[in-house]
Amino acid sequence: KMAAPRALFGVLLISAGAADAFSSSLLSSSFLPGTSRASLSLSHRSSAAPAGRTVAEGAVGLDMLVDVPKQVLVTGASGRTGFAVFKLLWENPKDFVAQGFVRSEKGAKMLEKIGASLGDSDSIKTSNAKLRALGMPADDEDPDIFLGDISDMASLAPAMRNCDALVICTSGVPKLRKTELFKSILSKLIGRQRMPKFYYETMPEQIDWEGCRNQIDVAKEAGGDHIVLVSSMGVSPAKNNGDNILNKIGDGNILVWKAKAEEYLAASGVDYTIIHPGGLLNKAGGEREIVLGVNDELLDAYESLGATRAIPREDVAMLVVQALRHKELVTNMSFDCVSKAPGEGKPTMSFAPLFEALS
């Protein structure tokens, strides 16, 4: 892929005393044949300000930039919901520059299958460094995929650099041992009810609270102006208690830690949107009517609204992307989401009215 400053068009930045224009090399080649996706965006917080001037001093009104795609980092991008979000952003390059944060090579390969890149290999980076040391031109390929751990803020920082928004899709995932599954099946065969015992490889406290807090801190430090957190229904005080089955699973108290992270985000000073999905379905999106609510009211009222307590992951991903598109409608808001069964109601196609009805 070609390396170039990220922009769709040459953009005129209006300064206090004069107008500085980007050179023609800043023209996006996204509309030209043979051009890579890596050259699509120009960060609103680019470090390429004139010597002695910060970007803020050298240009004002950056929010007035037209047709500059929003650079978005998706964490947990190889998870089932995170991947759905990343893929949808990736498929809309005119509006978004998608970057994914994953913790393993296996996760990175998932993103590579749809065209994302880890950037230059170490050998190419070394070669380019030598060329630059000799005064020769050498372009580096910016990565779309970042490997790291949300417990390590140092690995998060490079991924968040220059991003406009952060989408948090990381979450503790309970697992079931094969022996537990066998015991549950056996109990059912002999007419006994038995709740299988789950476990976490990493407890929700470390992922849903501490890891989430790290992500919020890094985004704030990097100057990100919107954080979308995919959380869960059941975090309201009325539902988030010791009797909630989600808190009992693996003794993880997952909703307790998710609620703590939400409170931290709300107090961070960064514009945020929190999405609380119901049960997540591995079904196709765009085929159901989406129903929104607040404060876990849908957990009790979903039937009266003709809805279910579940929603496809792909529809959650669409809600995330639409929240990024319509930030002004969902800033500093949290909402719950479920869907009607296929064939019940009309598939949701317009999201602005859905968001407007929340306020």
Side-chain angles (χ1 to χ4, degrees), residues 127-284:
S127 175
N128 284 348
K130 290 179 179 178
L131 288 173
R132 283 192 289 270
L134 295 172
M136 301 175 66
D139 290 331
D140 293 323
E141 178 186 30
D142 293 331
D144 309 304
I145 309 167
F146 293 82
L147 281 168
D149 193 313
I150 59 173
S151 66
D152 177 18
M153 294 178 69
S155 69
L156 279 165
M160 190 62 208
R161 187 177 300 124
N162 294 334
C163 284
D164 302 290
L166 167 66
V167 178
I168 301 176
C169 291
T170 51
S171 178
V173 179
K175 297 190 175 183
L176 182 66
R177 292 186 176 89
K178 291 181 180 179
T179 54
E180 281 296 310
L181 182 60
F182 174 76
K183 289 177 182 178
S184 297
I185 293 173
L186 183 61
S187 296
K188 187 173 183 178
L189 290 175
I190 62 177
R192 295 181 181 177
Q193 292 292 330
R194 180 182 184 277
M195 178 68 180
K197 296 179 181 179
F198 292 83
Y199 73 99
Y200 289 95
E201 288 185 347
T202 306
M203 295 299 286
E205 180 179 3
Q206 281 72 55
I207 298 177
D208 294 271
W209 163 230
E210 294 173 359
C212 192
R213 180 187 62 199
N214 287 344
Q215 294 174 69
I216 294 166
D217 287 346
V218 169
K220 183 175 182 178
E221 178 66 24
D225 59 18
H226 192 194
I227 297 176
V228 179
L229 170 61
V230 179
S231 185
S232 171
M233 287 178 67
V235 297
S236 66
K239 302 294 183 182
N240 192 357
N241 52 55
D243 293 329
N244 193 304
I245 188 64
L246 293 179
N247 282 330
K248 289 182 177 180
I249 291 176
D251 295 323
N253 284 319
I254 190 167
L255 297 178
V256 173
W257 300 116
K258 284 183 179 293
K260 191 174 178 68
E262 290 186 20
E263 292 172 2
Y264 188 80
L265 174 57
S268 69
V270 181
D271 288 347
Y272 68 87
T273 305
I274 301 172
I275 301 176
H276 301 128
L280 293 166
L281 303 173
N282 297 319
K283 303 290 184 180

Side-chain angles (χ1 to χ4, degrees), residues 93-161:
K94 290 184 180 180
D95 299 318
F96 302 102
V97 174
Q99 296 183 179
F101 189 86
V102 298
R103 64 176 181 174
S104 69
E105 295 280 355
K106 181 179 179 181
K109 290 184 183 300
M110 285 185 61
L111 276 56
E112 287 179 313
K113 287 180 180 179
I114 63 172
S117 169
L118 282 163
D120 289 328
S121 65
D122 290 341
S123 60
I124 292 178
K125 290 177 182 176
T126 300
S127 175
N128 284 348
K130 290 179 179 178
L131 288 173
R132 283 192 289 270
L134 295 172
M136 301 175 66
D139 290 331
D140 293 323
E141 178 186 30
D142 293 331
D144 309 304
I145 309 167
F146 293 82
L147 281 168
D149 193 313
I150 59 173
S151 66
D152 177 18
M153 294 178 69
S155 69
L156 279 165
M160 190 62 208
R161 187 177 300 124

